[in-house]
Amino acid sequence: MDLKKSIRNQTDVSLSLAKHVSLSESKDSNLVFSPLSIHVVLALIAAGSKGPTQTQLLSFLNANSTDDLNSLSSHLVSLVFADGGPSGGPK
């Protein structure tokens, strides 16, 4: 798995989600969402699915396999929780 490519793909998916969400909201409203959280949830669903559902999720997430998604998640977790403190908190 190419980590830089996977992160770039995840960023592209996040920007696409943000574009679609912002187009559906009125100009007088506020919205906050976590693209990374959505990506993780969809990756979990992809890991538990089979057949056309899994194929569609992998296509949407720009991933070749659930193994690639798992590897990306592992790398991201190790970066986010890199402080190594006893509480396991983020940097």
Side-chain angles (χ1 to χ4, degrees):
M1 179 199 77
D2 180 1
L3 182 60
K4 287 184 181 185
K5 182 179 178 190
S6 294
I7 291 172
R8 195 170 32 252
N9 288 344
Q10 196 271 335
T11 300
D12 291 343
V13 170
S14 297
L15 291 173
S16 175
L17 280 171
K19 183 173 105 177
H20 288 293
V21 169
S22 68
L23 291 176
S24 66
E25 292 296 312
S26 71
K27 292 182 180 183
D28 296 333
S29 67
N30 292 319
L31 175 73
V32 176
F33 72 102
S34 169
L36 181 57
S37 294
I38 293 170
H39 191 275
V40 169
V41 168
L42 291 176
L44 285 170
I45 294 169
S49 64
K50 293 181 181 177
T53 301
Q54 186 180 63
T55 302
Q56 288 176 338
L57 285 165
L58 291 174
S59 175
F60 178 77
L61 295 170
N62 292 328
N64 294 322
S65 68
T66 55
D67 288 338
D68 284 351
L69 292 173
N70 292 340
S71 181
L72 174 61
S73 294
S74 293
H75 280 87
L76 291 175
V77 165
S78 68
L79 293 172
V80 170
F81 295 112
D83 73 339
S87 65
K91 279 185 166 179

